[in-house]
Amino acid sequence: RPRVAPDTPRMSELDSMVLKCEKTGKLFFSEAEAKLHSEETGLQAFAQVSPEEKVWICTETGKVCFNEQQMAMHKRFVTEAQTFEESNVGELRKRQTATAASASGPVELESEEEMLLRNAGLSGKARKAAEAGSSGPPVVTKELVEQLLEMGFTELRAHKALVHTSNTGVEPAINWLGEHMDDADIDEPLAQEVEVKPREEVDAGLAKAAGDAGSQLTPAEKKAKLEEALAKARARKAGIDVESQKEIERARRQGGKEMVLTLREQQEQQRKRDMEARKREKREFELERQKLREQLAKDKADKMAAGLIVPAKPAPAALAAPQPAAAAPAKSEAETPVAGVSRSYEEESLSVSEATDKMAALPETTLRPALDLMGKMVANIAKAPAEPKFRKMRLSNPKVAEGLVHVPGARQFLCAHGWRVVEREYLELPVAPDVGAQAAAQSAAVAALGQAVAAAQEARRRAELESRRKEAAERMATARAEKEAIKAAMARDRGEVAARGPAQASVAKKLPTEGGGVIKMNFDEDDRPGHQ
């Protein structure tokens, strides 16, 4: 099939067409650029622009305006925009082709944020390059986070609001939280971890990014210019001067602090009122109990006076009971039992090998708490050999008792390595002259115990496997013997059948009847088979 040549005039006409997005005002010098913009933004309204259509280009900022209204708005929002150069779309296309031969994208209009950053010493293109070069986590200012926390917001919501508002301040973050407070994912964590830095460090990073982009301003000048530009932008938006805007911001911050203090005072007063109410309820309860006791005592006295209750007489043995407190000598302090201790933790002394064998014979589930606790004890001693709290364990503590009291041989193993029971319920390791060597010896002892236990468990596992192997072999031998016996019995049966010779087949015979027909049998009720 012959190939059809492309319509060269139509392709040339499409290439020379200039389109403008009616929503954003961007110019596109090819159909492909307009389609790409439509796919990215979802906008479908485009208008064809004639190359002879006039445009006005701002000399200071480079913004392209299509009418006097756009120029007036640009002058209003950007103070340095004063002069405009008249041109047309065709000249603009030639200028773009000459300045950026390798770039075929649309003409980027400068946004208000880029204007503010450019006023601070960082141009729009440099800002985009800096943003493209930074691949770390989002950074928020610590002071802004603290202000939001003082206002009652959670830390996650504060981080999320500052990230979504580019860490511009508290007011944009509060506005964002007010708009997204009812979102379903407001309390879901961010996809990337947020890095919180002080204001000085954030400003230093911004100044460094500006310096990398080719700015000639110092960090202090950049910070001052940025703050001044933001203040001017807010003042223009509110229709007031810069100083009034700063005063409003200071008043807003002061009001936030006063609101937080008022809230704290209210909470403190409420807490005091609750405490007073609980105390009052306790006093009233005690008064009611006292009144009840007095009423019971009065009723008892009235009944005794009326003869309804006879007081019990004391038993003779109780009257003649001796007074042991006067005759018995006072016990010494050492003989007096310690309150709360119901048992002694002293055990028979064992050698290291005996205690190791005793613990190695235990099952894994019983021994594991002791090994874990001993490992933590020696690890703490190795970290801080001279720390007293790591050298003394209270055996009545449930967690300590689980590893050192309920596991047979655990305390005997530690006592064999220098530990001792003191004050009836404490296990203590005395301080040696060389605490470092002592800590190393304790670690080695626990490690050796772990190896011995592992070896004993492996030996028991192998013995169990060998026992199972022997049992399986015995079962197989028994099954084989039974099989051979069955075969021998079958062989004997076949020999006996062969010795009797072939069997004669039986022939069915017809029973004789009188009529030569079917035999009829009549049973009486008492003669029926199975009738009892």
Side-chain angles (χ1 to χ4, degrees):
R1 184 177 179 179
R3 181 178 298 178
V4 179
D7 191 356
T8 305
R10 177 170 179 79
M11 294 295 294
S12 177
E13 181 181 356
L14 290 175
D15 291 338
S16 60
M17 182 183 299
V18 180
L19 300 177
K20 181 179 73 171
C21 179
E22 295 184 351
K23 184 67 176 177
T24 61
K26 291 185 178 181
L27 294 177
F28 303 94
F29 298 106
S30 66
E31 185 181 6
E33 295 175 359
K35 287 183 178 180
L36 180 61
H37 179 71
S38 177
E39 293 175 358
E40 292 177 349
T41 61
L43 301 176
Q44 302 292 335
F46 293 88
Q48 185 175 358
V49 181
S50 172
E52 288 78 17
E53 183 174 349
K54 292 184 178 182
V55 294
W56 288 265
I57 304 173
C58 180
T59 307
E60 289 78 14
T61 63
K63 178 175 176 58
V64 180
C65 299
F66 294 90
N67 49 49
E68 295 182 357
Q69 183 180 2
Q70 292 183 2
M71 287 191 293
M73 291 181 61
H74 186 60
K75 289 181 180 180
R76 178 182 177 186
F77 287 105
V78 183
T79 56
E80 61 188 39
Q82 299 296 331
T83 59
F84 288 85
E85 178 186 355
E86 183 177 349
S87 182
N88 55 38
V89 175
E91 292 295 332
L92 184 63
R93 180 174 186 175
K94 293 179 181 179
R95 185 181 302 178
Q96 182 193 17
T97 305
T99 55
S102 60
S104 60
V107 177
E108 295 290 342
L109 301 181
E110 189 177 29
S111 64
E112 183 178 357
E113 183 182 2
E114 291 174 342
M115 298 173 191
L116 294 175
L117 290 173
R118 178 171 46 75
N119 290 337
L122 182 61
S123 63
K125 294 182 179 180
R127 170 180 169 269
K128 293 180 180 178
E131 289 181 352
S134 61
S135 60
V139 179
V140 297
T141 306
K142 179 180 178 182
E143 289 77 7
L144 299 180
V145 174
E146 292 177 351
Q147 292 182 27
L148 292 174
L149 292 178
E150 290 177 355
M151 294 179 184
F153 297 104
T154 62
E155 186 175 5
L156 175 60
R157 294 189 178 185
H159 289 175
K160 186 174 290 187
L162 291 173
V163 169
H164 284 85
T165 56
S166 302
N167 196 36
T168 54
V170 176
E171 184 176 358
I174 294 176
N175 294 336
W176 186 91
L177 287 170
E179 295 173 359
H180 299 79
M181 187 66 68
D182 298 330
D183 291 355
D185 58 346
I186 186 63
D187 291 322
E188 292 185 3
L190 293 167
Q192 196 173 8
E193 185 178 358
V194 178
E195 186 175 357
V196 181
K197 294 184 178 180
R199 183 181 298 275
E200 293 76 10
E201 190 172 349
V202 174
D203 294 341
L206 181 62
K208 183 177 182 302
D212 295 339
S215 175
Q216 302 298 326
L217 299 177
T218 63
E221 292 174 348
K222 292 169 186 175
K223 180 180 177 181
K225 281 184 174 292
L226 180 59
E227 292 179 354
E228 186 68 21
L230 292 175
K232 288 181 179 179
R234 296 191 186 102
R236 283 195 302 271
K237 186 175 181 180
I240 58 177
D241 56 355
V242 178
E243 294 300 329
S244 300
Q245 177 64 30
K246 292 181 179 180
E247 186 64 28
I248 292 173
E249 181 67 17
R250 285 194 292 268
R252 186 192 62 78
R253 292 183 181 179
Q254 185 64 26
K257 293 180 181 179
E258 292 177 356
M259 182 178 64
V260 172
L261 292 176
T262 304
L263 181 61
R264 289 180 179 176
E265 291 177 357
Q266 292 177 355
Q267 293 175 352
E268 183 66 21
Q269 293 175 1
Q270 184 64 34
R271 186 182 66 83
K272 291 181 179 179
R273 287 194 293 267
D274 295 341
M275 290 179 62
E276 291 294 335
R278 287 194 293 269
K279 290 180 180 179
R280 184 171 57 254
E281 292 175 357
K282 187 175 181 181
R283 288 195 299 268
E284 293 175 355
F285 178 73
E286 292 295 336
L287 290 175
E288 290 294 332
R289 290 185 61 183
Q290 183 64 26
K291 291 180 180 179
L292 182 60
R293 293 193 196 98
E294 294 176 356
Q295 184 65 34
L296 291 175
K298 182 179 179 182
D299 294 343
K300 184 177 180 181
D302 294 342
K303 290 180 180 180
M304 290 178 64
L308 299 177
I309 298 177
V310 179
K313 296 181 180 181
L319 295 176
Q323 300 294 332
K331 292 184 179 181
S332 63
E333 185 178 356
E335 296 175 356
T336 305
V338 180
V341 178
S342 59
R343 61 167 294 177
S344 175
Y345 296 99
E346 296 285 351
E347 285 186 321
E348 181 184 0
S349 299
L350 296 179
S351 63
V352 176
S353 58
E354 292 174 346
T356 302
D357 295 340
K358 184 176 180 179
M359 296 184 68
L362 298 176
E364 168 68 16
T365 55
T366 305
L367 188 61
R368 179 50 51 190
L371 293 178
D372 294 342
L373 182 58
M374 289 182 185
K376 293 180 181 178
M377 290 167 58
V378 297
N380 291 333
I381 294 175
K383 291 179 182 178
E387 183 64 34
K389 67 178 182 180
F390 295 148
R391 292 175 167 269
K392 195 172 184 180
M393 310 296 293
R394 186 172 183 175
L395 297 175
S396 59
N397 186 300
K399 293 185 178 180
V400 177
E402 183 182 2
L404 300 183
V405 177
H406 303 322
V407 179
R411 297 196 307 282
Q412 294 169 329
F413 176 82
L414 292 177
C415 291
H417 285 88
W419 293 75
R420 62 184 182 182
V421 179
V422 296
E423 302 177 12
R424 299 177 63 94
E425 62 172 342
Y426 290 94
L427 190 65
E428 183 183 32
L429 178 63
V431 179
D434 189 354
V435 292
Q438 186 186 31
Q442 294 292 322
S443 301
V446 174
L449 174 63
Q451 295 175 0
V453 169
Q457 291 175 354
E458 181 66 19
R460 287 197 296 270
R461 187 184 68 82
R462 292 182 179 179
E464 185 178 358
L465 290 176
E466 185 64 25
S467 176
R468 291 179 181 177
R469 196 177 293 111
K470 289 182 179 180
E471 291 178 0
E474 291 177 357
R475 287 197 299 269
M476 291 179 63
T478 302
R480 192 179 297 109
E482 292 176 354
K483 186 176 180 180
E484 295 297 333
I486 293 173
K487 287 183 179 180
M490 292 175 65
R492 289 195 301 270
D493 293 342
R494 285 195 295 268
E496 293 177 359
V497 172
R500 287 198 298 266
Q504 297 180 356
S506 60
V507 180
K509 296 182 180 181
K510 190 175 181 180
L511 295 175
T513 60
E514 295 178 358
V518 180
I519 299 176
K520 295 183 179 180
M521 302 180 68
N522 295 325
F523 296 96
D524 295 334
E525 184 177 358
D526 296 336
D527 296 333
R528 284 179 298 177
H531 181 74
Q532 299 294 336

